[in-house]
Amino acid sequence: MKCLDQNDKIFVAGSNGMVGSAICRLLKEKGYSLKNKNLLISHKKELDFKNKTQVEEYFEKNKPDIVINAAAKVGGILANSTKPVEFLLDNIKIQNNLIEASFKFGVKRFLFLGSSCIYPKMAKQPIKENYLLTDSLEFTNQWYAIAKIAGIKLCEAYRRQYNFDTICLMPTNLYGPNDNYNLKNGHVMASLIRKFHEAKIKNKEQVICWGTGNPLREFLYVDDFA
């Protein structure tokens, strides 16, 4: 099927975040806009994705054709370790409400964004899709990973049972504009950027980084991902 049509209304859930804002920038370059009403966004004050009633009312009113779910509660290692309930429960609520409403109100394609942390901690490199659920997750962010796995499986279930057009993408570690540069709650690249920036302007002789230095990471600029 043809993926996109200029008349399609695309709803980017989480448009204020790093990923969502990058997707919106790209769509605007391609001719989508709020003025033309073929690009739909929402703000936290008007729509809480954890609230099923609010989500369904938004879908019924705006009737999106394509939904991109870039909405999630995200954070770095410390945030995941200290708030496991929120990272598990909030993300499950967000994605369940968006997936269910998309199916209920006739969305023709739903795009779900996962995370590379869904794969086992000691997965072979490069990671293959069939490594999912073959071993234990990284303990520090397992709550977020489990929520994302549940979302992937719900999309798979809707596709299998109802032939609902769902696609799941697993980005690697992202960085770029609108990232969270908080040293305690931010992701690794944003935290490193801030540490080195502050070290430079304060003429520090050294920068202290977390971990042993042995793990390997892949990083992707968010606009390239979009």
Side-chain angles (χ1 to χ4, degrees), residues 10 42 127 133 176 186:
I10 303 177
S42 66
I127 297 174
L133 297 175

Side-chain angles (χ1 to χ4, degrees), residues 49-206:
F49 294 128
K50 299 189 300 295
N51 187 310
K52 183 180 178 70
T53 300
Q54 288 185 19
V55 171
E56 290 195 348
E57 288 176 349
Y58 181 89
F59 273 68
E60 187 173 23
K61 178 182 177 181
N62 293 281
K63 297 178 173 58
D65 298 299
I66 295 171
V67 174
I68 300 174
N69 180 19
K73 181 176 179 60
V74 298
I77 292 174
L78 182 62
N80 275 267
S81 300
T82 55
K83 293 186 177 292
V85 172
E86 286 85 349
F87 275 88
L88 179 58
L89 197 55
D90 286 1
N91 280 306
I92 286 177
K93 288 178 180 179
I94 291 168
Q95 63 204 30
N96 281 4
N97 289 339
L98 287 169
I99 295 168
E100 288 184 82
S102 294
F103 177 73
K104 180 177 180 179
F105 292 96
V107 168
K108 70 179 187 180
R109 172 164 287 181
F110 182 90
L111 183 64
F112 181 80
L113 300 183
S115 168
S116 55
C117 71
I118 66 171
Y119 293 103
K121 177 180 180 180
M122 304 308 293
K124 294 179 182 179
Q125 301 292 330
I127 297 174
K128 296 181 180 180
E129 288 184 8
N130 58 12
Y131 295 166
L132 184 65
L133 297 175
T134 59
D135 208 338
S136 301
L137 300 166
E138 161 60 41
F139 179 77
T140 56
N141 62 1
Q142 63 175 323
W143 325 103
Y144 179 75
I146 289 171
K148 285 297 183 180
I149 292 171
I152 292 165
K153 288 300 180 181
L154 182 58
C155 286
E156 182 182 335
Y158 266 107
R159 176 178 282 273
R160 178 175 297 186
Q161 187 171 341
Y162 297 111
N163 199 31
F164 182 41
D165 191 354
T166 59
I167 299 175
C168 300
L169 299 181
M170 303 306 116
T172 186
N173 296 270
L174 300 171
Y175 70 98
N178 293 324
D179 202 350
N180 177 8
Y181 291 88
N182 185 290
L183 291 176
K184 292 183 178 181
N185 299 324
H187 289 116
V188 57
M189 181 60 79
S191 298
L192 289 174
I193 288 172
R194 178 172 173 181
K195 285 182 178 182
F196 280 95
H197 173 70
E198 291 185 351
K200 181 178 180 180
I201 62 177
K202 294 178 181 179
N203 294 317
K204 292 184 177 180
E205 294 185 358
Q206 63 179 357

